Amino acid sequence: MLRTDSLAQYPSAMERHHTRPDPAEIGKFPARCVHCRANIPVRPRVKTLKDLEPLTTRLLEIQHLNSAASLLDWDQETYMPAGSGRARADQLATLQGLAHDTFTAPEIERLLAQWVDPATGLPPESPDDAWDEPSRALLREVWRDFSRAKKLPSEFVKRLRRECSLAQQVWAEAKEKSEFRKFLPNLRTVVALKQEEAQYLGYQDSPYDALLDSYEPGMTVAQLNPLFATLRKRLVPLLQQITNAPISIDDTVLTRAYDTTRQLEFGRLVLTAMGYNFDTGRLDLSAHPFTTSFHPSDVRLTTRVYENELAACLFSCIHEGGHGLYDQSLDTERYGTPLGESLSLGIHESQSRLWENCVGRSRPFWRCFYSYLQQLFPEQLANVAMEQFYTAINRVKPSLIRVEADELTYNLHIMLRFEIEQDLMEGRTRVEELPDVWSEKMRSYLDIVPGRDAEGLLQDVHWSLGAIGYFPTYTLGNLYAVQFYNQALKEIPGLNSEIEAGRLTVLKKWLNQKIHRWGRTFTPDQLVRRITGGPLSPEPYLAYLEEKFGALYQLKAPG
Amino acid sequence: MLRTDSLAQYPSAMERHHTRPDPAEIGKFPARCVHCRANIPVRPRVKTLKDLEPLTTRLLEIQHLNSAASLLDWDQETYMPAGSGRARADQLATLQGLAHDTFTAPEIERLLAQWVDPATGLPPESPDDAWDEPSRALLREVWRDFSRAKKLPSEFVKRLRRECSLAQQVWAEAKEKSEFRKFLPNLRTVVALKQEEAQYLGYQDSPYDALLDSYEPGMTVAQLNPLFATLRKRLVPLLQQITNAPISIDDTVLTRAYDTTRQLEFGRLVLTAMGYNFDTGRLDLSAHPFTTSFHPSDVRLTTRVYENELAACLFSCIHEGGHGLYDQSLDTERYGTPLGESLSLGIHESQSRLWENCVGRSRPFWRCFYSYLQQLFPEQLANVAMEQFYTAINRVKPSLIRVEADELTYNLHIMLRFEIEQDLMEGRTRVEELPDVWSEKMRSYLDIVPGRDAEGLLQDVHWSLGAIGYFPTYTLGNLYAVQFYNQALKEIPGLNSEIEAGRLTVLKKWLNQKIHRWGRTFTPDQLVRRITGGPLSPEPYLAYLEEKFGALYQLKAPG
């Protein structure tokens, strides 16, 4: 077939020498003239994103379907009338099915087959058929998504979606009644389906790797196991030290009565200072805080607000704001392609954790913002010193519920889930054994055991959604966050003083330049090396925790 | 091709006599056995909606796309951040284009070709190939939609959508600056495109008929001209009589300061009394009130609320509530098919007008609800008698803006637009002449002339959207409303007393039974005859207006 658009690869040749290269030789050097068969003495130009337009136009349509589905999701969590859940589920199933079918249709395969070498997942690298870097990255990532999607039979995708939709409903009822055995048969089905999925996707060492790769491209059990072992070895004793510390922190100041409207006002104030743009964003209420995006010009946050829990609204605003800044700063020009998409769940979470913990729970931040908070709540805070407030928001206390955990114990909740998921996927643990396993691990890591399933293994929605392999990205986010933040402290002159002065956008701009604008141009591993000069590592994070909480709880330096 | 599903048409034959009719003869009587060629002595059963599942499944998917697009629209008018208009337009274009392409794809044509005779637009009527009534109506309406959609070339649909999208932006700017000449070139393009559309769609007498049929199936200029002539002949003199009446009504009570939160509270109270279900609905704010529906279980209203205009929020709530009750009461089982869709814009508008005017501006209604309103606004209304309030909300006063017009003059605004649209489409008036034509007609019908284009021919969004032929449905709604309401007064025992007692749902239930549940089973003409025993007529409406305003303004009976 004559690809007339590619003739433009030989512009000067066409003008000066020959009128038309042989269509069969387009992209080659030398190509021969279709008329006289003589070699055309001009190299084809390096191909760019412009040459990929037949593909990116198609991807953009799929993105519009996905964005519409995301709006349906957002609406479901915020404003949808209670009685229309079933209709919404049907609408979502149609949109998501259509997006999947369009992506895996022969059209995309035909386009990719022209450009990508299936052996490498990249365009062939030769001087005669050259692509620029963005195009190579785009083709690599689209090929990755496409080949993963193609491995899953359409029938399987529908079955998985149906079973998870059912499992989610049963989970909600089971949690409501705090009865794990109600959810057990569905969880067994979900685990079996995820094992099946891993077989379709393929893996080297562990079926769990196939699932991890969905959320954190390239991540494996072989990398995570030593990483979590290091965390376990250092965090469990650190927590014990804190529990036995001479200092005990009183955080009752956070449970005084705080007007909810004013709490939201403060949330908006901090978000605005962070550089979150309300002209292209919103803040609404939902049962569980989340961030969603339909385009960089429409990125929405949600939070929750309770009169007697000041920290809930405050830190969820900052946390979701971190996610929101990432999505608002993605490359609009490359919207709809992987280059305009966020990189991985771990990297996304690094943005929220960096803002929530490294910034939002730091002294420099509160040296600026505490006086605003006091002005909004004089009755509650006028007599509370900033240092007292700072220690209150950093109190470490083992608790049953992951989403309410402090900065330190949070990772132990993740570790427990990671170990359980891995054992389930590798067949070492059966679903029936989970209640005992859960209790035992909680006792071992946190020295606290749930009395009810609702506060134990029924607390998270993830497994009912089939999102096995997702949890580790929360801890990866913590690790990346500290690595990135340490680098920001090195590279941004006087970052702490800027934060103390409320100029949070210097940090936002650094993150824009270093992370947000690149989309999926680099892999997570490439990105962290590019920014910090080294690979993902638990050391900076552990050093950060040991220093921060060592000081706060007046612990003796180890050894 | 063997249609195995249709073998079930001969159940008893298959059991008692032959195992299998000849596939080529399925649906016939007598059909011959594929084995022995003997006649099968059993008539095929009457086919039902069940037999149409391959079609209705497909239609349901298209409906999900349309519902998603409607949510995107709703969100755009209510909660979308200001900065994301362009991205939203792209998302909408993709969804709407996909819905149109899927509907006109060969799959639907192939299915319809099996069942519908193109000459009649119905399944063939023979005792040997019989369909039940719902199936016949469904096939008739799907065929109608499909054949209209197929007549428009895909290229034309895209061009029209693009030009209208552009025209709408220019219109908004032109209205802002009150300069019609800015909008003129775009309007000229839109009119030319609508003339082109009429040629594609085809018509008998006037190109305007082709457009009318989009909004009010079967309606023609030949029907509307005498109808509007009657209205003109009786309403213009009635308005003159009112202007010269001995009585003048003071409505300043409506412009006192009314707390907006309480206004919305009252709106919700009335909607609840009407039977509008907030478990499957919402009430939000938007610049222009509207109703939208994604499924009968998710029907949303919007209103606007101004402190110094009590009527704005109040009557838009009741008006949109009338629309909402229709959409909430459509047949859920038939969702996605024409049988689960509202019938026409005129019939839809009849529901809103009936509630807004026949009920909401009546004495029985306020005998119940006025005391609630007084309780909410004691300072403003404690000393205002119900009768004074009733006359205030029914004051007749010629005004420039259609959406602010009273019950009587409203139709003169529509008449003016109907005449202009007809003249534009039939080539009697050029777009350049519109400012003069507008002023002249305003003077003639309402004795009032706009000083600025923004208050004249730029006030409505319709033409910029390409919605030529839409306006007449507003007046049709008024006419149908009174015809239906008169019938309700006859059929519901003591309807006025029920309303006085606040039991508005007796009326809702009557409308559910008579109109809502039927979807598009009948044509508008069939429906109005079925309910009232006669055709659409301006007489009941004129009698209603003459009686109501004759009494209010103490006019002498004519003659």
Side-chain angles (χ1 to χ4, degrees):
Chain A
M1 196 185 67
L2 178 64
R3 300 195 327 242
T4 47
D5 56 320
S6 302
L7 292 175
Q9 286 179 38
Y10 303 89
S12 44
M14 288 168 69
E15 279 165 26
R16 288 183 314 182
H17 186 70
H18 289 81
T19 50
R20 185 164 286 258
D22 186 335
E25 302 203 347
I26 282 180
K28 293 189 182 155
F29 171 73
R32 283 189 300 177
C33 173
V34 74
H35 301 302
C36 69
R37 313 305 296 165
N39 283 346
I40 301 176
V42 177
R43 282 193 186 275
R45 68 174 172 73
V46 170
K47 283 173 276 186
T48 67
L49 292 176
K50 185 88 187 148
D51 295 280
L52 293 175
E53 266 184 12
L55 175 66
T56 52
T57 307
R58 204 85 186 141
L59 293 177
L60 188 59
E61 273 183 29
I62 296 167
Q63 180 62 54
H64 289 154
L65 285 174
N66 285 326
S67 290
S70 298
L71 178 67
L72 266 64
D73 260 332
W74 173 84
D75 180 73
Q76 182 169 335
E77 302 301 323
T78 52
Y79 295 111
M80 191 185 79
S84 55
R86 225 190 110 183
R88 180 54 50 87
D90 291 341
Q91 292 153 4
L92 274 168
T94 294
L95 286 182
Q96 289 162 344
L98 208 53
H100 181 263
D101 292 349
T102 312
F103 185 53
T104 52
E107 170 75 2
I108 304 265
E109 186 154 27
R110 193 183 61 75
L111 289 167
L112 284 174
Q114 279 183 53
W115 297 317
V116 177
D117 174 0
T120 61
L122 286 169
E125 236 175 317
S126 94
D128 309 334
D129 189 11
W131 292 82
D132 67 2
E133 275 312 308
S135 308
R136 290 181 68 79
L138 187 145
L139 285 169
R140 178 194 75 216
E141 291 299 306
V142 176
W143 177 260
R144 178 187 138 80
D145 294 346
F146 176 79
S147 48
R148 280 181 65 89
K150 273 301 261 197
K151 284 179 190 163
L152 302 175
S154 182
E155 169 278 323
F156 173 77
V157 172
K158 280 179 194 142
R159 187 152 46 96
L160 179 65
R161 202 175 282 145
R162 200 170 46 241
E163 288 295 344
C164 289
S165 167
L166 193 64
Q168 205 193 338
Q169 291 166 41
V170 176
W171 166 78
E173 288 164 33
K175 185 182 176 189
E176 179 78 27
K177 295 187 179 137
S178 193
E179 290 187 45
F180 175 67
R181 61 180 177 82
K182 275 197 189 301
F183 178 51
L184 195 147
N186 301 78
L187 181 56
R188 194 187 289 128
T189 305
V190 169
V191 169
L193 282 167
K194 296 305 279 188
Q195 283 167 333
E196 193 179 341
E197 183 178 332
Q199 297 308 318
Y200 289 127
L201 292 173
Y203 53 85
Q204 281 208 301
D205 298 331
S206 163
Y208 195 57
D209 288 346
L211 306 187
L212 277 173
D213 190 53
S214 316
Y215 304 110
E216 196 67 16
M219 188 52 63
T220 59
V221 164
Q223 281 179 276
L224 283 182
N225 272 343
L227 192 150
F228 273 108
T230 307
L231 290 179
R232 188 183 308 112
K233 209 173 80 188
R234 304 254 292 268
L235 289 184
V236 175
L238 178 60
L239 178 59
Q240 254 159 4
Q241 275 192 289
I242 288 172
T243 312
N244 303 328
I247 300 282
S248 87
I249 292 175
D250 175 7
D251 64 358
T252 51
V253 59
L254 302 176
T255 53
R256 292 176 183 173
Y258 294 88
D259 175 70
T260 53
T261 309
R262 292 192 166 200
Q263 284 195 51
L264 287 167
E265 195 183 319
F266 187 72
R268 280 175 217 278
L269 175 101
V270 173
L271 284 167
T272 304
M274 286 166 66
Y276 178 78
N277 184 352
F278 278 98
D279 279 344
T280 55
R282 296 184 52 81
L283 178 66
D284 295 273
L285 297 177
S286 67
H288 297 279
F290 67 94
T291 298
T292 188
S293 166
F294 321 129
H295 184 269
S297 67
D298 196 349
V299 176
R300 307 187 184 184
L301 320 178
T302 72
T303 182
R304 50 184 166 189
V305 57
Y306 308 115
E307 200 181 57
N308 292 105
E309 286 185 46
L310 184 63
C313 175
L314 174 58
F315 289 107
S316 66
C317 280
I318 304 179
H319 179 101
E320 302 306 332
H323 285 304
L325 290 183
Y326 191 172
D327 288 340
Q328 282 191 331
S329 308
L330 287 166
D331 189 341
T332 310
E333 293 299 310
R334 295 173 179 182
Y335 175 70
T337 80
L339 305 187
E341 260 170 32
S342 58
L343 179 51
S344 71
L345 286 184
I347 299 295
H348 224 310
E349 193 71 8
S350 78
Q351 301 305 288
S352 54
R353 297 285 168 171
L354 184 154
W355 284 99
E356 179 190 352
N357 292 331
C358 302
V359 178
R361 293 186 206 268
S362 76
R363 285 194 184 86
F365 178 85
W366 288 106
R367 283 197 192 105
C368 173
F369 287 95
Y370 191 59
S371 60
Y372 292 103
L373 194 65
Q374 282 180 312
Q375 278 167 36
L376 281 170
F377 300 108
E379 211 178 294
Q380 297 85 342
L381 296 177
N383 297 323
V384 177
M386 191 212 95
E387 189 60 23
Q388 185 188 341
F389 184 79
Y390 169 78
T391 57
I393 59 172
N394 282 298
R395 183 185 182 208
V396 173
K397 184 169 194 292
S399 62
L400 294 170
I401 306 296
R402 174 182 61 87
V403 297
E404 292 167 8
D406 58 77
E407 201 176 349
L408 191 154
T409 58
Y410 190 90
N411 302 287
L412 300 173
H413 288 272
I414 299 303
M415 190 189 306
L416 172 156
R417 287 158 178 77
F418 164 63
E419 292 169 356
I420 288 176
E421 287 186 344
Q422 197 182 339
D423 288 346
L424 282 172
M425 286 299 291
E426 295 179 359
R428 278 192 299 277
T429 297
R430 284 177 305 119
V431 171
E432 291 76 0
E433 299 167 321
L434 287 188
D436 291 341
V437 173
W438 190 280
S439 297
E440 191 205 321
K441 285 187 190 284
M442 281 296 287
R443 187 176 297 114
S444 156
Y445 300 154
L446 288 157
D447 200 20
I448 174 174
V449 175
R452 307 167 58 242
D453 291 342
E455 294 176 334
L457 76 175
L458 282 180
Q459 67 182 269
D460 299 304
V461 72
H462 301 60
W463 292 343
S464 77
L465 298 170
I468 296 176
Y470 187 121
F471 282 120
T473 67
Y474 291 125
T475 285
L476 291 176
N478 283 333
L479 270 51
Y480 288 133
V482 171
Q483 287 186 274
F484 293 149
Y485 196 66
N486 284 349
Q487 195 64 29
L489 283 167
K490 280 187 212 158
E491 293 186 15
I492 303 172
L495 176 56
N496 277 331
S497 316
E498 296 286 342
I499 292 175
E500 275 178 32
R503 288 192 290 271
L504 305 180
T505 52
V506 296
L507 179 58
K508 169 189 178 276
K509 281 178 192 148
W510 188 85
L511 295 167
N512 288 166
Q513 286 306 311
K514 296 287 175 178
I515 299 171
H516 306 164
R517 58 179 291 213
W518 296 106
R520 290 165 60 185
T521 302
F522 311 108
T523 64
D525 180 56
Q526 285 170 338
L527 185 78
V528 72
R529 287 173 191 271
R530 202 180 130 91
I531 296 175
T532 69
L536 170 71
S537 157
E539 288 306 326
Y541 181 59
L542 286 167
Y544 158 85
L545 289 182
E546 283 162 355
E547 186 190 325
K548 178 170 181 175
F549 293 103
L552 207 61
Y553 281 93
Q554 302 180 6
L555 308 179
K556 285 178 195 126
Chain B
M1 194 184 67
L2 178 64
R3 302 193 329 244
T4 46
D5 54 323
S6 303
L7 292 173
Q9 286 179 40
Y10 303 89
S12 43
M14 287 168 70
E15 282 166 21
R16 288 185 314 181
H17 186 71
H18 290 81
T19 50
R20 185 163 287 256
D22 186 336
E25 302 203 350
I26 280 179
K28 293 188 185 156
F29 171 72
R32 283 190 299 178
C33 174
V34 73
H35 301 303
C36 69
R37 313 304 295 165
N39 284 345
I40 301 176
V42 177
R43 284 194 184 273
R45 68 172 172 73
V46 170
K47 282 175 275 185
T48 66
L49 293 176
K50 186 88 188 150
D51 296 280
L52 292 175
E53 266 183 11
L55 176 65
T56 51
T57 307
R58 203 85 186 144
L59 293 177
L60 189 59
E61 273 183 29
I62 297 168
Q63 180 62 54
H64 290 153
L65 285 174
N66 285 325
S67 290
S70 299
L71 178 67
L72 266 65
D73 259 331
W74 173 85
D75 179 72
Q76 182 169 336
E77 303 300 323
T78 52
Y79 295 110
M80 191 184 79
S84 56
R86 226 188 110 184
R88 181 54 50 86
D90 291 342
Q91 292 153 3
L92 273 168
T94 295
L95 285 182
Q96 288 162 344
L98 208 53
H100 181 263
D101 293 349
T102 313
F103 186 51
T104 53
E107 170 74 3
I108 303 266
E109 187 155 27
R110 192 184 62 74
L111 290 167
L112 284 174
Q114 280 182 53
W115 296 316
V116 176
D117 174 0
T120 60
L122 286 169
E125 233 174 318
S126 92
D128 308 334
D129 189 10
W131 292 82
D132 67 2
E133 275 313 304
S135 307
R136 291 182 66 80
L138 187 147
L139 285 168
R140 178 194 75 216
E141 293 298 306
V142 176
W143 177 260
R144 180 188 135 80
D145 295 346
F146 176 79
S147 47
R148 280 182 65 90
K150 273 301 260 195
K151 283 179 189 163
L152 301 176
S154 181
E155 169 277 323
F156 172 78
V157 172
K158 279 178 195 143
R159 187 152 45 95
L160 180 66
R161 202 175 281 145
R162 199 169 47 239
E163 289 295 343
C164 289
S165 167
L166 194 62
Q168 204 194 338
Q169 291 167 39
V170 176
W171 166 79
E173 288 163 32
K175 185 182 175 189
E176 179 81 26
K177 295 188 177 135
S178 194
E179 288 186 48
F180 174 66
R181 61 182 177 81
K182 276 197 190 299
F183 179 50
L184 195 147
N186 302 77
L187 182 55
R188 195 187 287 126
T189 305
V190 169
V191 169
L193 283 167
K194 296 306 279 189
Q195 283 168 333
E196 193 179 341
E197 183 178 333
Q199 297 307 319
Y200 288 126
L201 293 172
Y203 53 87
Q204 281 210 299
D205 298 330
S206 164
Y208 195 57
D209 288 347
L211 305 188
L212 277 173
D213 191 51
S214 315
Y215 304 111
E216 197 66 16
M219 188 51 64
T220 60
V221 163
Q223 281 178 276
L224 282 182
N225 272 342
L227 192 149
F228 273 108
T230 306
L231 290 178
R232 188 184 307 114
K233 212 173 77 188
R234 304 251 297 265
L235 289 184
V236 175
L238 178 60
L239 179 59
Q240 254 159 5
Q241 275 191 290
I242 289 172
T243 313
N244 303 326
I247 301 282
S248 87
I249 292 175
D250 174 9
D251 64 358
T252 51
V253 60
L254 302 176
T255 55
R256 293 176 182 172
Y258 294 89
D259 175 70
T260 54
T261 309
R262 291 191 166 201
Q263 284 193 52
L264 286 167
E265 194 183 320
F266 187 72
R268 281 175 217 277
L269 175 99
V270 173
L271 283 166
T272 304
M274 286 166 65
Y276 177 79
N277 184 352
F278 277 98
D279 279 344
T280 55
R282 297 185 47 85
L283 177 66
D284 295 272
L285 297 177
S286 67
H288 297 278
F290 67 94
T291 298
T292 189
S293 166
F294 322 128
H295 183 269
S297 68
D298 195 350
V299 176
R300 306 187 185 185
L301 320 178
T302 72
T303 183
R304 51 184 165 189
V305 58
Y306 308 116
E307 199 182 57
N308 291 106
E309 286 183 48
L310 183 63
C313 175
L314 174 57
F315 288 108
S316 66
C317 281
I318 304 179
H319 179 102
E320 301 307 331
H323 285 303
L325 290 184
Y326 192 171
D327 289 341
Q328 282 191 331
S329 309
L330 288 165
D331 188 342
T332 309
E333 292 299 310
R334 293 170 180 184
Y335 175 70
T337 80
L339 305 186
E341 261 170 31
S342 58
L343 179 50
S344 72
L345 286 184
I347 298 296
H348 223 309
E349 193 71 8
S350 78
Q351 300 306 289
S352 53
R353 299 285 168 168
L354 184 154
W355 283 100
E356 178 190 354
N357 292 330
C358 303
V359 178
R361 294 187 206 266
S362 76
R363 284 193 184 87
F365 177 85
W366 288 106
R367 283 199 192 104
C368 172
F369 287 94
Y370 191 59
S371 60
Y372 291 104
L373 193 64
Q374 284 180 311
Q375 280 167 36
L376 281 169
F377 301 108
E379 211 177 295
Q380 296 85 341
L381 296 177
N383 297 322
V384 178
M386 189 211 96
E387 189 61 22
Q388 185 188 338
F389 184 79
Y390 170 77
T391 59
I393 59 171
N394 282 298
R395 185 187 182 207
V396 173
K397 187 168 190 291
S399 61
L400 293 170
I401 306 297
R402 174 183 61 86
V403 296
E404 292 167 7
D406 58 75
E407 199 176 350
L408 192 155
T409 60
Y410 189 91
N411 302 287
L412 301 171
H413 288 274
I414 298 303
M415 190 188 305
L416 173 156
R417 287 159 177 76
F418 165 62
E419 292 169 357
I420 287 176
E421 288 187 343
Q422 198 182 339
D423 288 347
L424 283 172
M425 285 301 290
E426 294 179 0
R428 278 192 301 276
T429 296
R430 284 177 305 119
V431 170
E432 291 77 359
E433 299 168 321
L434 287 188
D436 292 341
V437 172
W438 190 280
S439 296
E440 193 205 319
K441 285 187 190 283
M442 281 296 287
R443 187 176 296 113
S444 157
Y445 300 155
L446 288 158
D447 201 20
I448 175 173
V449 174
R452 306 167 60 242
D453 291 343
E455 294 176 336
L457 75 176
L458 282 180
Q459 66 183 268
D460 298 305
V461 72
H462 301 60
W463 292 343
S464 76
L465 298 171
I468 296 177
Y470 187 120
F471 281 120
T473 66
Y474 290 126
T475 285
L476 291 175
N478 283 332
L479 270 50
Y480 289 132
V482 171
Q483 287 186 275
F484 293 149
Y485 196 64
N486 285 348
Q487 196 64 30
L489 283 167
K490 280 188 213 157
E491 293 186 14
I492 303 172
L495 175 57
N496 277 331
S497 317
E498 296 286 342
I499 292 175
E500 276 178 34
R503 287 191 291 270
L504 305 180
T505 51
V506 295
L507 179 58
K508 169 191 177 273
K509 281 179 192 148
W510 187 85
L511 293 166
N512 287 166
Q513 285 305 311
K514 296 287 176 176
I515 298 171
H516 306 163
R517 60 179 288 212
W518 297 106
R520 290 165 61 186
T521 303
F522 311 108
T523 65
D525 180 57
Q526 285 171 337
L527 185 78
V528 70
R529 287 174 191 270
R530 202 181 129 92
I531 296 174
T532 70
L536 171 71
S537 159
E539 288 306 326
Y541 181 58
L542 286 166
Y544 159 84
L545 289 180
E546 283 162 355
E547 188 190 321
K548 176 170 183 176
F549 293 103
L552 209 58
Y553 281 92
Q554 301 181 8
L555 308 179
K556 285 179 195 124

